Amino acid sequence: MASEPPPRPRVVLGVGGGIAAYKVCEVLRRLTESGHDVRVVPTASALRFVGAATWEALSGHSVSTEVWDSVHEVPHVRLGQSADLVLVAPATADLIARAAHGLADDLLTSTLLTARCPVVFCPAMHTEMWEHPATRENVATLRRRGAIVLDPAVGRLTGADSGAGRLPEPVEIFEFAAAVLRRGGPLPEDLAGLRVVVSAGGTREPLDPVRYLGNRSSGLQGYALASAAVARGAEVTVVAANVTLPDPAGAKVIRVGTALELRDAMRAAAAEAQVVVANAAVADFRPAHYAESKIKKSDDRSAPVIDLVQNPHVLRELGRERLAEGQTVVGFAAETGDELHSFLELGRRKVAAYGVDLLVANEVGADKVFGQPVTQGVIIGADGVETPVPPGSKRALADAVWDRVVELRRMS
Ligand code: CTP
């Protein structure tokens, strides 16, 4: 007999009346496409930004702001009781205030009172509103009662102004929600009190003012590691090499271009960090000479010869030197394997060669891993423990890495 498919996780997506409501359409899309059953509960003012038709088309369910629609179904009780997760985005100052005071004057706030599942608020508002003592106290109240309130990102706000209060990127909200659902509750704050530095992206080694030697790393994995660490309570610094993605909310981002710049930034941050994760694709070589003006074609059709010099191996330095006591060092190895060795064997060798505690060996190819949302690999420990990570999101791999880091630090 064919077995029943597992029930789809039920998510109530509460949408507040803020301009960032338009970004939440993408959160909804990602949730439904990954198999979640999503009921959207907008506030009346949310519908002034994004209309009911959009929410209904994207979720496949009708939407209502009021407890007076379909009263026979008692929606204000049923929705909250049957949800596996309530996700509120954008959580405006007003909505946070109403939730903190236990008001139940529309369908969303009533749902918040009846929900017994994890509740995640994703605030978005102007910096002044976010920093106002009233909002600070309301956020503290919600957190004290067990709700998860994300810190907003820092960046461009509605107009030309920028500051703290920006809604985290849809992918970050989606990945966070998926992680809470995977765990069935709030994420463990098991990295609290730790300073963590993560390198992300790929270095570029300039040849002349318009050209460089570079690689295809997008920074997605490094940023997923940073977001996951923030969510688990760490103080996170990201050394970002040529990453064009929006900054991960809650992390400090230091931008670098070349391998030598990355090395300086990593060494400075690592001196203060308990955990170092080297995820950036660092160019092994750089042009020996930088041409101050653009290199031109020659009339005789001969190609220029470019001399290269080797860059320092930043991870090997960090692994061997250990710039702070008791530091955990994690590397990544993008391997294709060769005729003689599997990608895993090559990864094992690097654990010893680089002196790291953990090395994540990714099998890469033209269409694997680089710039792709899905990844897989094996986390190889210097202690001989190998943890395969099945194909999944870069955030899931990031959480698997942090799980191992926490385990290693507990044992030491
Ligand atoms: N790395 C580094 N400095 C370099 C090159 C790489 O710190 N100059 C780090 C990367 O951040 C990554 C790890 O080393 O964590 C592994 O990188 P990999 O892609 O395996 O490159 P290589 O070490 O150069 O290995 P191979 O010689 O096999 O290409």
Side-chain angles (χ1 to χ4, degrees):
M1 210 172 71
S3 58
E4 292 271 312
R8 294 191 294 158
R10 280 162 305 202
V11 177
V12 169
L13 179 59
V15 186
I19 182 71
Y22 79 91
K23 287 187 177 177
V24 177
C25 299
E26 194 190 328
V27 178
L28 171 56
R29 175 133 227 156
R30 284 176 184 267
L31 283 167
T32 52
E33 282 184 354
S34 54
H36 300 83
D37 182 15
V38 188
R39 302 286 169 142
V40 182
V41 185
T43 62
S45 45
L47 295 184
R48 297 178 73 132
F49 291 97
V50 178
T54 302
W55 303 119
E56 291 183 351
L58 290 176
S59 70
H61 295 293
S62 59
V63 305
S64 169
T65 64
E66 292 297 329
V67 293
W68 306 114
D69 296 328
S70 313
V71 174
H72 62 288
E73 290 177 1
V74 203
H76 69 289
V77 176
R78 189 182 44 79
L79 275 173
Q81 281 179 342
S82 60
D84 297 307
L85 174 74
V86 178
L87 177 65
V88 183
T92 59
D94 176 68
L95 185 51
I96 286 172
R98 289 193 291 136
H101 287 83
L103 299 192
D105 51 359
D106 62 7
L107 185 55
L108 178 52
T109 46
S110 305
T111 301
L112 287 168
L113 284 185
T114 52
R116 293 293 174 267
C117 59
V119 177
V120 178
F121 289 89
C122 307
M125 63 195 77
H126 270 81
T127 310
E128 292 80 358
M129 297 174 94
W130 174 246
E131 289 175 350
H132 194 283
T135 307
R136 308 304 314 146
E137 280 173 30
N138 290 331
V139 167
T141 301
L142 291 173
R143 284 182 174 153
R144 201 173 51 247
R145 291 190 197 133
I148 303 167
V149 185
L150 297 185
D151 281 326
V154 178
R156 178 95 189 268
L157 301 173
T158 319
D161 46 348
S162 63
R166 192 180 148 89
L167 188 73
E169 291 308 304
V171 62
E172 280 192 75
I173 295 175
F174 163 73
E175 294 288 5
F176 186 87
V180 172
L181 276 165
R182 266 197 304 276
R183 301 244 174 200
L187 303 186
E189 290 253 323
D190 50 6
L191 297 175
L194 293 183
R195 269 193 300 266
V196 158
V197 51
V198 179
S199 70
T203 65
R204 290 179 182 173
E205 312 299 321
L207 265 170
D208 68 18
V210 295
R211 302 185 180 95
Y212 58 81
L213 298 180
N215 61 71
R216 297 171 58 203
S217 178
S218 60
L220 283 169
Q221 182 64 69
Y223 276 30
L225 283 156
S227 294
V230 170
R232 294 169 71 153
E235 192 184 312
V236 182
T237 299
V238 185
V239 174
N242 308 297
V243 181
T244 54
L245 304 168
D247 289 356
K252 175 180 166 198
V253 179
I254 298 171
R255 291 180 199 290
V256 295
T258 64
L260 293 179
E261 289 166 9
L262 178 135
R263 179 196 195 210
D264 287 348
M266 284 298 281
R267 292 185 66 92
E272 312 267 292
Q274 286 80 40
V275 187
V276 177
V277 181
N279 176 252
V282 184
D284 289 321
F285 305 97
R286 66 180 184 276
H289 308 286
Y290 173 73
E292 296 292 341
S293 47
K294 191 179 165 199
I295 301 168
K296 293 287 188 192
K297 294 180 281 298
S298 60
D299 292 337
D300 65 5
R301 300 175 70 87
S302 67
V305 173
I306 296 162
D307 285 330
L308 299 176
V309 290
Q310 198 159 346
N311 276 325
H313 200 283
V314 185
L315 177 63
R316 186 188 281 126
E317 289 179 0
L318 294 171
R320 293 197 174 160
E321 290 178 40
R322 304 286 164 142
L323 296 178
E325 208 178 316
Q327 189 172 65
T328 308
V329 177
V330 183
F332 272 71
E335 299 289 358
T336 55
D338 58 27
E339 319 79 59
L340 297 178
H341 308 282
S342 70
F343 84 101
L344 196 53
E345 284 164 338
L346 295 176
R348 284 181 195 129
R349 288 182 184 192
K350 284 184 179 172
V351 174
Y354 299 164
V356 295
D357 299 295
L358 297 173
L359 187 112
V360 184
N362 282 133
E363 194 175 5
V364 294
D367 57 350
K368 278 192 199 148
V369 178
F370 280 110
Q372 302 293 317
V374 170
T375 189
Q376 69 191 85
V378 179
I379 307 173
I380 307 170
D383 57 1
V385 176
E386 294 184 358
T387 315
V389 182
S393 69
K394 292 190 171 177
R395 173 61 179 256
L397 175 68
D399 273 316
V401 170
W402 292 124
D403 287 346
R404 279 291 280 135
V405 167
V406 168
E407 208 173 276
L408 281 185
R409 295 190 64 85
R410 277 207 189 113
M411 289 188 314
S412 66

